[in-house]
């Protein structure tokens, strides 16, 4: 049935559109976009008065844990968490068990995505076999099976020589490379940011240099090989500076940060809440300010959730023993909208980081509202206020430091190929 979205404020960063327009979707595609489209009896109609109508949001950095750790998240539950958070497309990282380093794993993920997921799921393949940083994975086979990018996320490819080969091989398949930047020796056994708070708590720290060294290395390699790199989850002011300088020189580098890096500092770790244990770690106020500035001036192209579900087995333990990671699919949009209410970003800038920019980096024909384009839309109520409640999460995991927090702004509808997938029918 055709879907007509009426009376909404259409915000499309790709075309710079910010206007009151109606949107008609039919056969999975956007048919028309104009003022006052008249509803007919055969149409399903959404009254979007007072709401924002944006291209379906894309989260280019999610961990879905299937195959192998379905007790933390499955493709089905992760996709529902995504839809509830306003996402219509997600890219899932390869650190599953087994690792997505060959076409049979990619095929399995694609199959589960087709049969189990209510959003578009795009697998990311591993750079190296088993994420070991040694032998290169099967890029061509995985690309044929459906991967959209390559990454050893969770780990850095330790050897610069191997990383160089990864970039050269990725270039022959035109596959984007997403870099997890952390010098493993320098960061070894670190639990949190190295600074005053870690000293006070007596915890081993991770120096910002552990990230910055590898950011600089990946940029140098990208420049030499002539293939772009995308820097994942930027957490330090130094990384923002290095990326800004590289971009100014015309190097093909893009970058993302996650909402926790512009919302929380290492002070949050003093609670010993293991949900605050993430990799890279929460940093200082000065880093947080630099991340916000990097988002504002375009140094940071993308906001990605880095949704990293873990169960109580990995999190309800001593801080030292807890796994790194926090969930984020269901809080990213609200936390980003608070940057808008604080005047850090305009609405257009905020949505650019979830739509046209990730689509461009991953070469997806998504992230815009145009006639003939895919009918993926997110409708947002920027005024909706709520308290993040553990019982209302759709993710299987609840490792979030934002539970109990008062938030403002959330998805009212998520629409994939013209079908309303959120609010859920069941
Ligand atoms: O905190 C993190 N958790 N950072 C990563 O890079 C990996 C992720 C995970 O897979 O749990």
């Amino acid at each position: 049935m055709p879907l007509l979205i009426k009376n909404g404020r259409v915000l499309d960063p790709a075309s710079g559109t910010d206007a009151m327009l109606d949107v008609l979707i039919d056969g999975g595609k956007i048919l028309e976009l104009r003022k006052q489209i008249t509803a007919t009896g055969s149409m399903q109609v959404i009254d979007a008065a007072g709401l924002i109508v944006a291209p379906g949001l894309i989260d280019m950095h999610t961990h879905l844990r299937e195959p192998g750790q379905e007790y933390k998240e499955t493709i089905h539950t992760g996709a529902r968490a995504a839809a509830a958070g306003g996402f219509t497309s997600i890219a899932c990282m390869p650190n599953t068990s087994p690792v997505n380093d060959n076409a049979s794993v990619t095929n399995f993920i694609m199959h589960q995505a087709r049969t189990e997921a209510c959003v578009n799921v795009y697998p990311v393949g591993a750079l190296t076999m088993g994420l070991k940083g040694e032998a290169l994975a099967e890029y061509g086979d995985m690309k044929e099976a459906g991967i959209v990018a390559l990454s050893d996320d969770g780990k850095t490819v330790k050897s610069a020589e191997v990383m160089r080969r990864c970039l050269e091989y990725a270039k022959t398949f035109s596959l984007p490379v997403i870099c997890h930047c952390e010098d493993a020796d320098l960061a070894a056994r670190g639990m949190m940011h190295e600074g005053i708070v870690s000293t006070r708590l007596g915890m081993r720290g991770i120096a910002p240099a552990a990230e910055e060294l590898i950011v600089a290395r990946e940029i140098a390699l990208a420049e030499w090989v002539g293939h772009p790199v995308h820097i994942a989850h930027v957490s330090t002011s130094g990384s923002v500076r290095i990326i800004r300088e590289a971009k100014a020189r015309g190097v093909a580098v893009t970058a993302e940060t996650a909402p926790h890096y512009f919302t929380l500092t290492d002070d949050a770790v003093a609670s010993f809440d293991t949900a605050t244990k993430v990799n890279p770690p929460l940093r200082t106020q000065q880093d947080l300010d630099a991340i916000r500035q990097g988002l504002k001036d375009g140094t940071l192209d993308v906001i990605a959730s880095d949704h990293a579900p873990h169960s109580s087995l990995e999190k309800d333990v001593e801080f030292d023993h807890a796994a790194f990671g926090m969930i984020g699919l269901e809080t990213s949009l609200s936390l980003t909208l608070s940057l808008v209410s604080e005047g850090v970003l305009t609405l257009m800038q905020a949505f650019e980081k979830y739509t046209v920019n990730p689509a461009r980096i991953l070469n997806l024909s998504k992230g815009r509202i145009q006639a003939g384009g895919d009918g993926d839309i997110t409708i947002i109520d920027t005024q909706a206020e709520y308290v993040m409640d553990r019982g209302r999460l759709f993710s299987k995991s609840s490792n979030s430091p934002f539970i109990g927090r008062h938030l403002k702004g959330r998805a009212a509808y998520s629409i994939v190929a013209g079908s309303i997938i959120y609010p859920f029918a069941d």
Side-chain angles (χ1 to χ4, degrees):
M1 186 194 273
L3 176 67
L4 178 61
I5 304 164
K6 279 195 75 66
N7 310 318
R9 175 180 168 195
V10 172
L11 260 181
D12 178 35
S15 60
T17 306
D18 180 356
M20 304 302 292
L21 296 169
D22 295 348
V23 183
L24 179 61
I25 310 174
D26 195 13
K29 300 281 181 190
I30 295 171
L31 204 64
E32 245 193 313
L33 172 72
R34 69 175 159 84
K35 281 198 163 69
Q36 296 296 342
I37 301 176
T38 308
T40 67
S42 65
M43 292 176 188
Q44 186 179 11
V45 180
I46 293 176
D47 181 4
L51 306 177
I52 304 270
V53 178
L57 306 185
I58 301 167
D59 183 15
M60 69 176 286
H61 192 140
T62 305
H63 297 269
L64 294 180
R65 309 300 190 207
E66 185 178 356
Q69 294 188 316
E70 289 83 353
Y71 67 100
K72 296 182 182 183
E73 196 78 286
T74 64
I75 291 171
H76 175 76
T77 58
R80 277 169 66 90
F87 295 101
T88 59
S89 295
I90 54 180
C92 57
M93 288 296 165
N95 61 341
T96 47
S97 181
V99 170
N100 184 16
D101 58 13
N102 66 81
S104 55
V105 179
T106 310
N107 280 325
F108 170 78
I109 295 168
M110 294 297 285
H111 173 266
Q112 293 300 90
R114 266 193 309 276
T115 55
E116 298 287 327
C118 57
V119 301
N120 307 297
V121 175
Y122 297 100
V124 176
L127 282 165
T128 66
M129 294 303 290
L131 309 176
K132 289 198 170 78
E134 295 163 4
L136 271 52
E138 300 173 357
Y139 300 179
D141 286 355
M142 288 193 292
K143 185 173 179 180
E144 243 170 65
I147 63 160
V148 296
L150 294 161
S151 181
D152 270 6
D153 184 58
K155 288 186 172 169
T156 292
V157 176
K158 192 164 186 176
S159 154
E161 159 64 7
V162 174
M163 189 61 186
R164 175 202 174 149
R165 300 294 168 215
C166 290
L167 285 169
E168 286 172 342
Y169 198 38
K171 185 178 179 182
T172 66
F173 293 103
S174 302
L175 279 167
V177 174
I178 303 170
C179 305
H180 176 108
C181 298
E182 184 180 69
D183 184 285
D185 294 327
L186 204 49
R189 298 184 304 284
M191 298 288 143
M192 63 177 296
H193 171 73
E194 180 178 327
I196 293 167
V197 184
S198 68
T199 307
R200 189 156 49 79
L201 298 178
M203 273 200 216
R204 196 178 168 96
I206 302 174
E211 176 173 314
E212 291 151 10
L213 284 171
I214 305 296
V215 170
R217 184 195 82 172
E218 309 304 49
I219 288 172
L221 289 172
E223 206 172 352
W224 179 246
V225 172
H227 188 60
V229 287
H230 175 78
I231 308 296
H233 40 54
V234 170
S235 74
T236 80
S237 58
S239 297
V240 175
R241 177 173 39 76
I242 294 164
I243 295 162
R244 185 181 289 124
E245 284 168 7
K247 282 188 165 188
R249 283 191 299 112
V251 183
V253 54
T254 54
E256 74 190 29
T257 192
H260 34 283
Y261 300 116
F262 59 72
T263 309
L264 297 174
T265 66
D266 56 347
D267 281 334
V269 180
S271 65
F272 292 102
D273 175 0
T274 56
T276 64
K277 186 174 174 184
V278 271
N279 185 11
L282 301 172
R283 303 284 186 184
T284 64
Q285 185 66 41
Q286 184 238 339
D287 294 300
L288 182 148
D289 292 342
I291 298 279
R292 288 175 170 219
Q293 183 55 37
L295 285 166
K296 194 181 172 82
D297 69 22
T299 303
L300 301 175
D301 309 81
V302 168
I303 301 173
S305 74
D306 198 4
H307 179 78
H310 291 292
S311 78
S312 64
L313 288 175
E314 295 82 20
K315 284 294 197 181
D316 291 346
V317 294
E318 297 88 333
F319 203 90
D320 277 16
H321 295 125
F324 287 96
M326 66 171 78
I327 55 169
L329 283 167
E330 296 170 76
T331 46
S332 284
L333 178 58
S334 305
L335 294 171
T336 302
L337 288 170
S338 63
L339 283 188
V340 176
S341 40
E342 288 175 47
V344 178
L345 297 181
T346 63
L347 266 179
M348 197 65 103
Q349 284 174 319
F351 285 112
E352 178 186 280
K353 304 202 188 282
Y354 281 112
T355 58
V356 60
N357 289 357
R360 192 189 65 240
I361 293 162
L362 296 178
N363 302 309
L364 305 178
S365 56
K366 301 267 182 199
R368 56 181 60 214
I369 302 182
Q370 64 180 8
D374 292 344
D376 295 357
I377 299 282
T378 304
I379 302 180
I380 298 121
D381 182 350
T382 56
Q383 300 308 307
E385 297 190 38
Y386 65 105
V387 175
M388 192 68 218
D389 177 5
R390 188 184 299 270
R392 282 181 53 184
L393 286 169
F394 291 97
S395 171
K396 259 194 184 183
S397 294
S398 54
N399 50 308
S400 167
F402 299 112
I403 286 169
R405 188 180 267 239
H406 182 267
L407 295 170
K408 190 172 175 193
R410 67 191 315 178
Y413 297 89
S414 298
I415 297 162
V416 173
S419 297
I420 300 172
I421 53 155
Y422 177 81
F424 301 120
D426 51 353

